[in-house]
Amino acid sequence: MPPLNSMTCPGIRDGTDDRVLLAHGEGGAAMRRLIADRIIPRLIGPTAVLDDAVVLPPIKGQPVLTTDAFVVSPLFFPGGDIGSLCVFGTVNDLAVRGAEPLWLTLTLILEEGLPLTILDRVLDSVAASAQRCGVSVVAGDTKVVPRGAADGIFITTTGLGQLCQLAPAGASLLRPGDQLVVSGPIGRHGIAVLSAREELGFEPPPVSDCAPLLEAVRSLRDHEVPTKAMRDATRGGVSAVLHEWSRDCGLTLAIDESCVPLTADVRGACELLGLDPLHVANEGTMLIAVDPAQADQTVAVLRRVAGCEQAAIIGEVRPRDVVPVVVRRLLGREQTLIEPSGAPLPRIC
């Protein structure tokens, strides 16, 4: 196991804190104490019971289900941590499908030797993030693996919500002329995590966009803005979403690099490191496809939402060309946007 140092887990004291033991995953008294004393009080209250399964009340709309896994390194980074990341990532997957998130299940994979103070911080973050999103953690599981088998903590989640409108039609129904809108500056999460993990020393340090997209999606719904497709641009960034949509609709998606919002720190870091921000992960930014008649209204509605003040139209859907995705670079030349075979930034979500 790599050392859990102060950069990865601020505030720990070497060799003096209580730590996760293999016994905490064996189903006996130690495991029951861990769950009863540390997990349940933080997530659902001191008198509650966190079971393996839960009977949920009926919901009004169609159920929408998602599942995800989170393996970020370091566990804590500017703008977030693995706790907030697992909640917001799951909630965002439901939100962009037109669902109102209601419940979460949470599985913790803990590495032997993890300081319990770090576990407490992560659980507190999960609880605060769930409260912010109006969702409840209703069931879960805890496992412990030997040293070296995990990066401190891995988390898997399942999210259940109810459909509160017709789900976006999906990228398969995109048509030439449809406009592509991004909800804010791109690449912030990947650069923040890379900077923290590699101790790159940027001042000020880049901050992740790790945040829920609920308010933005609700605002579009409240203003009756019809969207054709929505997707949070996580691993693979905006580029991954564009290539996926192009495959679904059989058309070419074209974007203009000069229209893509970037923060100064992400632009500078990408230039220094030789990265294309279109390939860098986000955790609170989404791509939206709309009819051309709705594009300006979509941007106007989003810009009134905190965190989406720089929402912008960045491109359009074209009849199928030889390549699936093209980008007009800053110097005016149009190039193929190649989809990487792998990720330039591992362990970012």
Side-chain angles (χ1 to χ4, degrees), residues 225-308:
V225 178
T227 58
K228 290 197 170 185
M230 286 193 291
R231 180 68 181 272
D232 49 332
T234 53
R235 281 176 298 174
V238 168
S239 171
V241 178
L242 293 172
H243 279 89
E244 181 179 313
W245 284 0
S246 177
R247 285 192 297 271
D248 289 345
C249 67
L251 301 170
T252 291
L253 276 59
I255 62 171
D256 188 330
E257 187 178 29
S258 66
C259 298
V260 178
L262 284 177
T263 58
D265 54 355
V266 168
R267 185 187 301 277
C270 285
E271 290 176 354
L272 181 65
L273 300 171
L275 298 172
D276 187 336
L278 292 168
H279 298 310
V280 179
N282 312 272
E283 282 295 343
T285 302
M286 61 179 169
L287 196 65
I288 308 164
V290 295
D291 184 276
Q294 306 295 333
D296 289 338
Q297 183 189 10
T298 301
V299 170
V301 169
L302 288 173
R303 286 183 176 178
R304 292 195 287 269
V305 176
C308 299

Side-chain angles (χ1 to χ4, degrees), residues 123-166:
L123 293 172
D124 287 340
S125 179
V126 169
S129 301
Q131 183 176 26
R132 177 178 172 182
C133 296
V135 298
S136 300
V137 178
V138 294
D141 192 24
T142 302
K143 294 290 188 293
V144 178
V145 296
R147 291 176 183 269
D151 285 345
I153 304 177
F154 292 163
I155 299 178
T156 61
T157 59
T158 295
L160 181 64
Q162 63 181 6
L163 198 64
C164 29
Q165 62 179 39
L166 288 177

Side-chain angles (χ1 to χ4, degrees), residues 186-226:
I186 69 169
R188 288 176 289 169
H189 179 67
I191 293 300
V193 170
L194 176 66
S195 178
R197 182 172 61 233
E198 303 300 332
E199 300 183 78
L200 297 180
F202 293 127
E203 287 295 340
V207 176
S208 170
D209 65 338
C210 183
L213 289 165
L214 278 173
E215 187 178 352
V217 174
R218 287 169 180 161
S219 188
L220 291 171
R221 183 167 65 240
D222 292 345
H223 287 84
E224 299 182 343
V225 178

